[in-house]
Amino acid sequence: MDTQTQFRGLSNELVSKSRLENGSNILTPPKKTPVWRLFLEKFKDPIIRILLIALILSFLVACYQYFTGIESGNVFLEPAGILLAVLLATGVGFLFERSANKKFDILNQINDETAVRVIRNARVVEVGRQDIVVGDIILLETGDEVPADATLLDAVSLQINESSLTGEPSIGKTTNPSQFDKDSTYPSNEVLRGTTVIDGHAVAEVIRVGDATEYGKVYTGSQIENQVETPLNKQLKRLSKLITYASYLVATLIIVGRLIMYFSLHEAPLDWLQLGGFLLNTLMIAVTVIVVTVPEGLPMSVTLSLALSMKRMLSANNLVRKMHACETMGACTVICTDKTGTLTQNQMTVYETVFYALGDIPEKKLELKADDLSRIIKENIAVNTTAFLEKTDPMHLKVLGNPTEGALLLWLNAQGEHYEIIRSSAKMVEQLTFSTERKYMATVVDSFLHPGKRLLFVKGAPEIVLSLCKEIIVDGKEVPAEEYSAHIDQQLADYQAKAMRTLGFAYAEIDKDQEISCFENGQLRKNLPLKYLGIVAISDPVRSDVPEAIQSCLDAGIDIKIVTGDTPGTATEIARQIKLWKEEYTEENRITGPEFGLLSEEELEERVLKLKIISRARPMDKERLVKALQRKGQVVAVTGDGTNDAPALNAAQVGLSMGDGTSVAKEASDITILDNSFTSINRAVMWGRSLYQNVQRFILFQMTINVAACLTVLIGAFLGSESPLTVTQMLWVNLIMDTFAAMALASLPPNEEVMKDKPRKEKEHIIQPTMTRRILSVGFLFVVVLFGLMQYFKYEDISSLKDFDWNLFVQDFFRFSKDGHGFSLYEKSLFFTFFVMFQFWNMFNAKAYKTHGSAFKGIKDCLDGFVLVGLLIVVGQIIIVNYGGQMFSVAPLSLSDWIIITLVSSLVLWIGEIIRFLTPKKSKTI
Ligand code: ATP
């Protein structure tokens, strides 16, 4: 395919003109559900419905009391308070979801910026997918996703996966009318947007873009799966259910308790109106306990954490495609990684060429002479390739396509040769592109440099190319391959010990008259008269940040395995450079792909955990490795960039595709590592683990309040005292814990320290025993203090906390006589504020859960999350207490009261700090 001269493509003016006439290649997102409807959907929540019923009941009672003249207009304050709570709960939840969804939308847009190779102004350039216009000449290669509908101008062994449109996983496409398939849904010379190239390559002219494409007609929107239930979500749902049932039980107990108390305190004859009012109040308290206890915030905290993580992970070069991947990455125990690009820079440079054919030795710099063999080598490099060089500026050439082939083109360029001229002048007859399975590439051309000759060029893994050759050309003379192979092996070993990637070159002269293909079943035919020309060593240095990232993963208890198509020598040297390969490792710890294939299932089971390197691996080896590791109970993350890596990416718990990988690999993966670097994978683990911890913190916080709120109201019910927390107060508490705390704790930044722990067990329950202990102990402590206050307010009258009498407090604690009285508004205000401030300080303890140190550590990094929400809670409480009046059953508190409450309640945090300080580092779970 002589793309450069045959096709000139559009000029810049024509591109603009076409865009004006035919539109750009962007799919219009489907109409979004209107905002008001999304808001109304919030009212489908059963808890909100229960609240609405409570609201109606309370409103009816208020109407009755007002119109019969029993009460003043103030009775409407309670229903108004409930209405406010309902609106706040639905409103804040709604805003959260919207902001999370917006983040997902941004991620989808990034998905749309995939680079496409086009010919414009007679040059091959890369543009974003949305920039393609009708009339553009696009170049397609194995693994590419077709960016727009296009008619083929030229195609080599083109196979397309059309399953996104027709369900057809592999369909041949061609420009040859005699091979057109009349029964196919779409013309055989058309490729369609959204389908992928699974083999071969092509040049095509765009005929439809954006919504006009076949794919555009069926497009239904967002590709990022944010609806899928993650394993953690499922676990949390079960937990929510359990808590919900428990809350029903507590609510029933409250009703029973209050009824018993009512009848034991009130003697016949009954005042029916009073009983009615009492019943209604009881019902409302029971309903509110349910509302407070049911952890609506739990799933929201996960979604919020995931949305935040996804956005922040993007700035750390991780494009999360499937939401669950964020958290699963945190549980990962093994990472199977590629070598090229992930561990190395993928900056390939020809280090040395050793063309025996030219009598070459490594020390002597090659000069391409004008003789036949030199020409054959030049043509092999220029023609037997799918890469291009783009002149980004007069001094700089950028490689488009395969980096190995690009390095060879750059080398040729440095020898003063123009690959474009050689390539466009030779006439291509057939081609087998490079694949990791074959490990070589072959092209048959009618030679330009040797007019009248048909030549077969082969380049690939040296030992494979050598095995295809009968002869080696040494200094212009043909010698039997066996005679020279030991020498070649030694030379290869030397390069590999320097972590070089090596390539072998060969060629054959083909009889033009015999119209037989050189290929058979996707391989070179046997017994072709191939002659070995020599080898090229290409350097690709290790990324400087990788050794540290590897160490961090190893410290985090994550095993790393390199799965590479390269040789054992090169792979081991790279592993050594990144400090993965230790001196004590033996042959037990590494294996080649073919050897791996021969292992029985039992042998594999026995050896799989020990393996550190699989070299000369084929994609199916990767999949087998992943499955074997999973059988061993490992949580596996695997990297992949090629089309054939898709099965392994699918099989692993987390598939990681590379930013410059094929669309097929990206589609099959859960996360795309945009900068290809292992450091970003390491970051993803840190994010995943931090996310899990944040959810644990939220549960810790929420469950402690649950225990405190339920037991306090329950005890209140059985003691016959007034409910210490009123309905509207409890709704505020609910807002604090379900919404604000979810926001505060879910947004805590990731913590490097999580990388010092071992991976969590996959089946581990999110509520750890240490958490249960803490929920119960702190929860009961709250209950004891709050109960003490309840008793104190019941038997004493207090108008300032300064008058608080500690002795009376202790005495009243155990006093169970009938002479108690109801709470004044002021006392209710004190109780309510104590309750809220306890939770406020406890939120800091929750923040410090599992961190090695104070709750204030790193507080600077969460000013816009945790700290802001904390402030919001305190300010909200001050406003409610000062202005809530009858609606919240409160009376303003004096400054001294505020100071006393703040200091006393903060003991919760200080005790926590002391315990954290005294606990040895290793067992830090407080
Ligand atoms: P990894 O799987 O870690 O990315 P890799 O890139 O070295 O490793 P492959 O791309 O499968 O693995 O390459 C395997 C071997 O095939 C290389 O060592 C090299 O000898 C040969 N090879 C690589 N690229 C080409 C190419 N474009 N044409 C011909 N041979 C190639």
Side-chain angles (χ1 to χ4, degrees):
M1 240 174 354
D2 40 5
T3 38
Q4 296 264 328
T5 49
Q6 196 179 331
F7 307 109
R8 302 194 59 80
L10 298 179
S11 64
N12 291 349
E13 296 81 63
L14 286 177
V15 169
S16 312
K17 194 163 164 254
S18 170
R19 191 167 291 132
L20 267 180
E21 279 171 15
N22 309 297
S24 45
N25 194 26
I26 296 173
L27 300 176
T28 319
K31 261 213 177 121
K32 288 208 166 116
T33 324
V35 178
W36 60 266
R37 193 181 267 162
L38 288 176
F39 182 66
L40 280 191
E41 267 175 22
K42 290 262 115 209
F43 287 85
K44 280 190 186 155
D45 185 338
I47 297 300
I48 300 289
R49 287 189 176 170
I50 293 180
L51 267 178
L52 285 178
I53 294 172
L55 173 65
I56 294 168
L57 284 179
S58 144
F59 180 69
L60 289 179
V61 173
C63 284
Y64 172 77
Q65 289 178 331
Y66 177 70
F67 289 113
T68 50
I70 304 174
E71 293 275 356
S72 69
N74 281 349
V75 284
F76 287 106
L77 286 176
E78 177 156 298
I82 301 179
L83 180 67
L84 191 73
V86 173
L87 289 180
L88 268 177
T90 47
V92 176
F94 169 73
L95 287 179
F96 267 170
E97 260 174 36
R98 264 181 72 79
S99 92
N101 282 337
K102 275 201 182 134
K103 289 183 183 103
F104 294 131
D105 284 350
I106 294 172
L107 296 177
N108 273 321
Q109 275 166 22
I110 288 169
N111 231 0
D112 217 42
E113 282 163 13
T114 329
V116 179
R117 282 191 289 162
V118 294
I119 301 178
R120 283 186 186 167
N121 306 304
R123 296 196 163 283
V124 181
V125 288
E126 263 178 357
V127 299
R129 178 162 68 182
Q130 71 269 48
D131 292 333
I132 296 287
V133 294
V134 170
D136 258 333
I137 306 287
I138 51 172
L139 303 181
L140 297 170
E141 215 184 284
T142 312
D144 284 348
E145 186 179 325
V146 180
D149 292 359
T151 304
L152 292 174
L153 301 174
D154 205 345
V156 178
S157 340
L158 192 65
Q159 289 289 321
I160 297 277
N161 177 347
E162 243 176 36
S163 51
S164 57
L165 285 173
T166 56
E168 197 66 58
S170 170
I171 186 162
K173 296 273 177 176
T174 174
T175 49
N176 184 348
S178 65
Q179 291 170 6
F180 283 3
D181 177 359
K182 288 184 207 70
D183 299 329
S184 66
T185 324
Y186 296 106
S188 290
N189 62 341
E190 256 184 38
V191 285
L192 303 150
R193 181 181 174 135
T195 62
T196 43
V197 182
I198 46 177
D199 203 4
H201 52 115
V203 183
E205 181 179 341
V206 174
I207 48 169
R208 289 182 294 267
V209 291
D211 293 336
T213 58
E214 295 300 318
Y215 184 75
K217 290 178 195 157
V218 294
Y219 176 68
T220 50
S222 161
Q223 297 113 41
I224 287 186
E225 284 179 43
N226 51 4
Q227 306 301 336
V228 181
E229 271 211 340
T230 74
L232 183 56
N233 247 333
K234 279 188 200 144
Q235 215 185 89
L236 291 180
K237 264 207 169 152
R238 279 202 300 276
L239 179 67
S240 297
K241 239 189 204 158
L242 197 81
I243 300 176
T244 308
Y245 289 137
S247 75
Y248 290 155
L249 183 72
V250 174
T252 319
L253 285 177
I254 288 173
I255 297 176
V256 174
R258 277 177 66 93
L259 281 180
I260 295 173
M261 283 305 144
Y262 184 85
F263 289 112
S264 67
L265 290 176
H266 296 86
E267 277 136 34
L270 284 174
D271 176 348
W272 286 102
L273 202 64
Q274 193 194 30
L275 179 61
F278 179 82
L279 269 181
L280 191 74
N281 194 249
T282 304
L283 213 63
M284 297 279 276
I285 292 174
V287 163
T288 321
V289 163
I290 296 177
V291 173
V292 172
T293 323
V294 171
E296 309 102 270
L298 212 48
M300 189 173 82
S301 77
V302 181
T303 314
L304 198 70
S305 283
L306 288 171
L308 281 171
S309 301
M310 282 168 87
K311 188 166 159 246
R312 294 199 197 145
M313 276 171 83
L314 186 62
S315 52
N317 283 312
N318 290 300
L319 171 64
V320 179
R321 296 172 165 268
K322 292 177 194 141
M323 242 180 30
H324 79 89
C326 270
E327 64 175 73
T328 319
M329 212 45 209
C332 150
T333 56
V334 187
I335 300 174
C336 303
T337 173
D338 281 340
K339 172 185 70 75
T340 309
T342 318
L343 304 176
T344 65
Q345 296 174 6
N346 211 3
Q347 303 266 315
M348 308 228 184
T349 327
V350 171
Y351 172 77
E352 233 158 31
T353 56
V354 192
F355 288 112
Y356 310 109
L358 305 176
D360 213 2
I361 50 167
E363 291 74 28
K364 196 179 100 187
K365 199 177 166 307
L366 168 87
E367 275 172 30
L368 280 180
K369 297 166 225 154
D371 62 17
D372 266 7
L373 285 168
S374 288
R375 280 203 291 263
I376 282 171
I377 291 168
K378 279 186 229 169
E379 205 163 20
N380 194 338
I381 292 175
V383 172
N384 188 20
T385 181
T386 52
F388 294 89
L389 297 179
E390 181 192 349
K391 214 180 199 125
T392 43
D393 61 65
M395 297 304 291
H396 191 250
L397 285 171
K398 182 180 157 201
V399 172
L400 299 183
N402 185 306
T404 308
E405 294 174 355
L408 292 170
L409 292 183
L410 284 172
W411 177 81
L412 198 63
N413 194 63
Q415 312 296 314
E417 302 290 337
H418 288 282
Y419 83 94
E420 304 103 310
I421 300 176
I422 306 177
R423 193 187 294 179
S424 55
S425 312
K427 185 172 175 296
M428 202 218 290
V429 180
E430 53 182 350
Q431 187 172 66
L432 277 180
T433 48
F434 173 75
S435 80
T436 311
E437 283 104 338
R438 277 193 289 266
K439 292 197 169 37
Y440 63 79
M441 174 169 182
T443 308
V444 180
V445 291
D446 283 334
S447 177
F448 154 68
L449 298 176
H450 294 82
K453 282 193 178 171
R454 177 162 289 184
L455 297 177
L456 160 66
F457 296 123
V458 181
K459 72 173 195 313
E463 74 278 13
I464 296 181
V465 177
L466 187 61
S467 72
L468 297 166
C469 298
K470 284 205 180 61
E471 274 140 1
I472 299 175
I473 309 183
V474 182
D475 208 0
K477 290 187 254 338
E478 292 168 13
V479 294
E482 314 81 69
E483 271 184 31
Y484 218 67
S485 58
H487 177 84
I488 296 176
D489 286 347
Q490 185 52 49
Q491 200 138 55
L492 288 173
D494 289 348
Y495 284 131
Q496 285 153 14
K498 290 188 201 157
M500 299 284 161
R501 109 184 333 225
T502 43
L503 281 180
F505 286 79
Y507 90 106
E509 236 183 280
I510 306 293
D511 191 348
K512 228 176 172 175
D513 304 327
Q514 282 190 347
E515 281 295 324
I516 303 173
S517 168
C518 291
F519 310 147
E520 204 172 51
N521 304 326
Q523 297 282 345
L524 277 169
R525 259 194 310 118
K526 299 241 153 40
N527 300 324
L528 287 164
L530 274 165
K531 299 182 180 93
Y532 206 64
L533 293 162
I535 53 178
V536 169
I538 294 177
S539 72
D540 179 18
V542 163
R543 283 170 177 261
S544 58
D545 53 343
V546 166
E548 199 187 321
I550 294 275
Q551 194 53 48
S552 166
C553 276
L554 293 177
D555 290 345
I558 299 170
D559 195 11
I560 297 162
K561 301 186 190 300
I562 300 180
V563 186
T564 175
D566 221 324
T567 57
T570 312
T572 312
E573 181 50 30
I574 294 283
R576 198 171 280 135
Q577 289 183 11
I578 60 169
K579 310 243 161 38
L580 179 63
W581 186 263
K582 310 238 156 49
E583 289 317 316
E584 64 265 27
Y585 286 164
T586 62
E587 288 306 314
E588 268 269 278
N589 301 101
R590 62 175 185 181
I591 199 166
T592 65
E595 287 164 1
F596 183 80
L598 292 176
L599 290 182
S600 69
E601 287 304 311
E602 295 76 51
E603 286 166 332
L604 179 62
E605 293 259 312
E606 200 256 320
R607 203 161 155 198
V608 70
L609 291 179
K610 289 184 222 152
L611 288 176
K612 298 289 167 201
I613 299 172
I614 304 187
S615 52
R616 284 293 188 232
R618 301 144 306 171
M620 66 224 189
D621 298 328
K622 224 184 224 181
E623 190 190 357
R624 187 168 180 226
L625 174 72
V626 168
K627 290 188 170 159
L629 284 167
Q630 286 172 332
R631 280 199 297 278
K632 285 273 182 190
Q634 304 293 313
V635 179
V636 188
V638 72
T639 69
D641 47 11
T643 307
N644 299 326
D645 287 328
L649 290 169
N650 274 326
Q653 277 97 335
V654 185
L656 304 162
S657 61
M658 294 298 138
D660 58 6
T662 63
S663 305
V664 178
K666 287 183 186 163
E667 257 337 277
S669 69
D670 306 297
I671 298 180
T672 301
I673 310 290
L674 295 176
D675 65 352
N676 303 352
S677 168
F678 193 85
T679 307
S680 303
I681 302 177
N682 182 42
R683 302 247 113 201
V685 175
M686 185 181 79
W687 277 100
R689 289 187 175 190
S690 299
L691 185 146
Y692 188 78
Q693 266 189 9
N694 283 352
V695 176
Q696 280 184 320
R697 291 180 179 128
F698 175 67
I699 293 177
L700 192 65
F701 174 77
Q702 159 124 34
M703 298 277 278
T704 314
I705 301 199
N706 273 354
V707 171
C710 279
L711 287 186
T712 316
V713 179
L714 190 64
I715 293 172
F718 274 95
L719 286 184
S721 20
E722 221 176 308
S723 171
L725 288 172
T726 65
V727 174
T728 35
Q729 286 174 356
M730 279 201 269
L731 292 176
W732 166 242
V733 171
N734 187 44
L735 195 68
I736 292 179
M737 53 191 244
D738 262 345
T739 316
F740 291 168
M743 192 158 55
L745 296 168
S747 65
L748 287 177
N751 181 356
E752 302 267 354
E753 286 188 20
V754 291
M755 297 303 278
K756 292 185 185 140
D757 299 329
K758 294 287 159 253
R760 69 169 202 259
K761 306 254 175 330
E762 200 193 5
K763 297 243 155 58
E764 174 190 291
H765 199 278
I766 186 141
I767 304 188
Q768 292 286 286
T770 47
M771 288 168 72
T772 318
R773 278 201 294 278
R774 228 178 91 180
I775 291 166
L776 292 179
S777 55
V778 181
F780 281 126
L781 195 76
F782 284 162
V783 174
V784 170
V785 178
L786 293 169
F787 171 74
L789 280 179
M790 245 154 70
Q791 290 287 80
Y792 188 73
F793 295 151
K794 188 173 170 186
Y795 296 110
E796 314 300 331
D797 280 320
I798 183 166
S799 57
S800 166
L801 272 183
K802 280 191 280 188
D803 306 333
F804 186 85
D805 187 328
W806 181 247
N807 288 332
L808 283 178
F809 179 82
V810 177
Q811 265 176 37
D812 290 338
F813 195 94
F814 301 101
R815 190 165 151 190
F816 296 102
S817 59
K818 279 193 175 182
D819 53 355
H821 49 70
F823 307 138
S824 68
L825 274 190
Y826 172 70
E827 285 167 346
K828 280 185 182 168
S829 216
L830 285 179
F831 188 89
F832 174 43
T833 309
F834 258 117
F835 190 93
V836 167
M837 291 308 285
F838 275 141
Q839 312 318 325
F840 170 77
W841 292 115
N842 199 33
M843 203 166 81
F844 284 82
N845 282 336
K847 173 183 175 290
Y849 176 69
K850 276 205 175 158
T851 58
H852 303 277
S854 160
F856 295 102
K857 201 168 140 191
I859 201 105
K860 281 198 305 294
D861 303 327
C862 39
L863 291 182
D864 56 346
F866 185 84
V867 176
L868 186 74
V869 173
L871 275 178
L872 215 68
I873 293 175
V874 175
V875 172
Q877 184 67 17
I878 294 175
I879 294 176
I880 290 177
V881 169
N882 279 323
Y883 305 104
Q886 202 144 348
M887 187 191 283
F888 278 90
S889 309
V890 283
L893 301 178
S894 68
L895 184 65
S896 63
D897 288 339
W898 273 107
I899 295 174
I900 294 172
I901 295 178
T902 311
L903 290 180
V904 173
S905 58
S906 70
L907 283 177
V908 174
L909 172 62
W910 308 129
I911 295 173
E913 289 285 272
I914 292 170
I915 298 177
R916 274 189 289 279
F917 182 72
L918 296 179
T919 320
K921 256 199 164 173
K922 270 213 129 154
S923 62
K924 279 271 154 87
T925 43
I926 304 289

